[in-house]
Amino acid sequence: MKITRVTSHVLQYDLPEELGYSQQFYTKRSAHLVEVETDEGITGWGECFGPGNVALANKGIVEKVIQPMILGDDALDRDVIWHKVYNLLRDHGQKGMPLQALSGVDIALWDIAGKVAGLPLHKLIGGAHRKRVQVYGYGMMLKRENVDEHVARFRAEAAEIMDKGFVAAKMKSGLGPKEDVRLCEAVARGVDGRGKFMVDANHCYTTSDAFYVGRALDELGAYWFEEPVAPEDLDGYRELRAGLKVNISGGEAEFNRWGWRQILENRGLDIAQPEVCAMGGVSEYLRVLTLCHAHFTPVINHVWGSAIAVAVNLQLLAAMPPLPGGLNPWEPMLEFDTTDNKFRDALLVEPLRIQEEVCASGGFVTIPDRPGLGVEPDRDFIAKYEVD
């Protein structure tokens, strides 16, 4: 089964309101889908992590750099293709955008393999350890408003996320250490003991500022403190984990098994958060998952993107072995962005309808069991939102 074409589809629309996190504000929602076609008429879909101009730059890597390397290759030779592309791009970037571009291609090849076998992705990996997975709601983004307005909004939004049936709520921080503690207190009040709450800093703190916020999170009973310091600051991660009670999480900005080996051997994470659409796709994700579990580090996947990203993560969460095992093992959760996202809600011919299922089932969503990723994009929808 030969690969005949690899196409990038970069989608974009104007958000109804500006949203922000500790690094920037943005006004547009973007998604970068990858379509891999074969000479037997079977097509696979994947996704590359990265917003806006990053998506447009990755489009060039996918179509102008990776496509010529793999045209004519057997689409079922996923591991061969992965290492061929990685080795040829090694001199030009072992991390970052080349790995993001490879991710979309690799996910699409796994989708093809599932369609050929007539099996969902989790069956190709080894089977489903769970038929459904818990879902947490991610919101409470930054806006251009004062601290008091943030506090009131964060408390109300946290309560709304819990009212919708999610098992936990995750907020952004980034106004400054003292201001962020006020936001955390507001979210804790909004959740009101009905579930967990988590804080995502997007690496905006120095180690000392992270300790200031982290000590408040210890008192508030937060579940995890995500990306508190820069991803390069492995010593900072280790110091925070040793000095705080709150779980330290991170890893979305790491791109391959070699980088993950350093993170895990450093013992700086309580919870690992690999991003399958950035780190080289399903093939590299599975290798990193094995490394994490070899270090007895639980994994909760980072999820940000379209319905394709959500679908592949549902498959991966189904296939994730329990850690450490037992009658009541620790269980992963699916991250669900509760802000406006047409590329998640309306991209597919048959939408996932996760929000509705969470509300009806007490915080759970069922794993799709159709072949491959279990979903199919609507080409008319893609044509409507595609940009050059």
Side-chain angles (χ1 to χ4, degrees):
M1 177 182 291
K2 293 183 179 180
I3 296 170
T4 56
R5 185 163 64 175
V6 181
T7 307
S8 279
H9 302 280
V10 176
L11 315 181
Q12 195 170 83
Y13 73 92
D14 292 327
L15 285 168
E17 59 179 346
E18 184 182 57
L19 297 174
Y21 61 105
S22 68
Q23 302 300 321
Q24 66 173 327
F25 290 93
Y26 58 98
T27 60
K28 296 180 183 293
R29 172 78 68 179
S30 303
H32 179 187
L33 309 183
V34 175
E35 179 185 9
V36 176
E37 298 174 71
T38 68
D39 62 355
E40 294 187 16
I42 297 177
T43 297
W45 292 89
E47 182 164 353
C48 304
F49 180 74
N53 291 333
V54 173
L56 291 170
N58 277 334
K59 174 183 173 72
I61 298 174
V62 170
E63 295 187 344
K64 303 299 184 183
V65 180
I66 296 178
Q67 179 177 225
M69 295 182 190
I70 66 174
L71 284 179
D73 287 355
D74 190 329
L76 298 181
D77 287 348
R78 300 180 300 280
D79 194 60
V80 173
I81 290 171
W82 195 98
H83 284 90
K84 174 183 178 179
V85 172
Y86 183 84
N87 289 338
L88 289 172
L89 290 178
R90 180 177 256 138
D91 292 343
H92 312 288
Q94 302 93 35
K95 301 183 181 185
M97 289 164 56
L99 266 292
Q100 291 173 348
L102 178 55
S103 299
V105 174
D106 181 81
I107 293 168
L109 294 178
W110 278 89
D111 190 29
I112 289 171
K115 290 172 179 176
V116 169
L119 296 171
L121 178 61
H122 65 259
K123 283 288 188 183
L124 295 185
I125 295 171
H129 290 276
R130 55 195 62 81
K131 299 296 184 182
R132 61 179 194 163
V133 66
Q134 298 179 95
V135 187
Y136 75 84
Y138 176 20
M140 292 155 284
M141 309 289 287
L142 303 183
K143 295 184 181 180
R144 299 183 195 271
E145 58 189 16
N146 65 41
V147 178
D148 290 338
E149 290 170 322
H150 271 95
V151 167
R153 181 170 57 83
F154 273 37
R155 180 175 181 175
E157 193 171 339
E160 182 181 1
I161 286 172
M162 301 311 296
D163 289 343
K164 289 179 178 179
F166 292 100
V167 299
K170 188 170 79 173
M171 58 171 280
K172 290 293 191 184
S173 66
L175 299 182
K178 292 183 179 179
E179 294 84 357
D180 289 340
V181 169
R182 290 186 61 193
L183 298 184
C184 296
E185 291 169 344
V187 171
R189 290 194 297 270
V191 171
D192 194 25
R194 291 182 289 168
K196 301 179 176 73
F197 86 93
M198 299 84 82
V199 179
D200 184 359
N202 291 108
H203 50 78
C204 70
Y205 302 122
T206 63
T207 304
S208 60
D209 285 346
F211 266 113
Y212 179 89
V213 176
R215 291 186 184 108
L217 296 181
D218 284 349
E219 296 301 316
L220 292 169
Y223 183 40
W224 76 58
F225 191 9
E226 182 171 337
E227 281 203 307
V229 293
E232 299 93 338
D233 187 9
L234 298 185
D235 290 340
Y237 271 96
R238 187 177 62 249
E239 291 165 12
L240 289 165
R241 187 186 183 202
L244 295 173
K245 291 184 291 186
V246 64
N247 290 313
I248 303 300
S249 70
E252 71 181 76
E254 186 49 68
F255 292 91
N256 58 46
R257 75 197 84 155
W258 299 283
W260 272 99
R261 181 186 63 185
Q262 291 179 301
I263 290 175
L264 295 164
E265 289 177 352
N266 189 63
R267 305 296 289 175
L269 291 180
D270 293 290
I271 297 171
Q273 296 173 298
E275 168 55 71
V276 67
C277 295
M279 64 188 302
V282 174
S283 296
E284 192 70 354
Y285 168 89
L286 293 175
R287 290 186 274 263
V288 168
L289 176 65
T290 299
L291 276 176
C292 291
H293 282 194
H295 287 82
F296 295 96
T297 303
V299 173
I300 296 182
N301 298 349
H302 179 267
V303 185
W304 180 268
S306 79
I308 298 297
V310 175
V312 68
N313 275 282
L314 282 171
Q315 297 293 328
L316 295 175
L317 291 171
M320 184 187 295
L323 183 77
L327 292 175
N328 296 288
W330 183 93
E331 287 288 338
M333 296 185 288
L334 173 71
E335 179 176 11
F336 185 84
D337 167 26
T338 62
T339 63
D340 189 273
N341 190 342
K342 293 179 182 179
F343 301 145
R344 180 197 59 231
D345 298 335
L347 170 67
L348 304 179
V349 174
E350 295 182 30
L352 292 170
R353 304 192 187 284
I354 288 176
Q355 174 62 84
E356 294 93 326
E357 192 171 348
V358 164
C359 185
S361 66
F364 287 84
V365 63
T366 304
I367 308 298
D369 60 1
R370 294 183 293 275
L373 302 184
V375 297
E376 202 66 32
D378 183 334
R379 291 186 181 276
D380 290 337
F381 180 91
I382 290 174
K384 180 178 179 180
Y385 290 99
E386 190 163 9
V387 297
D388 294 327

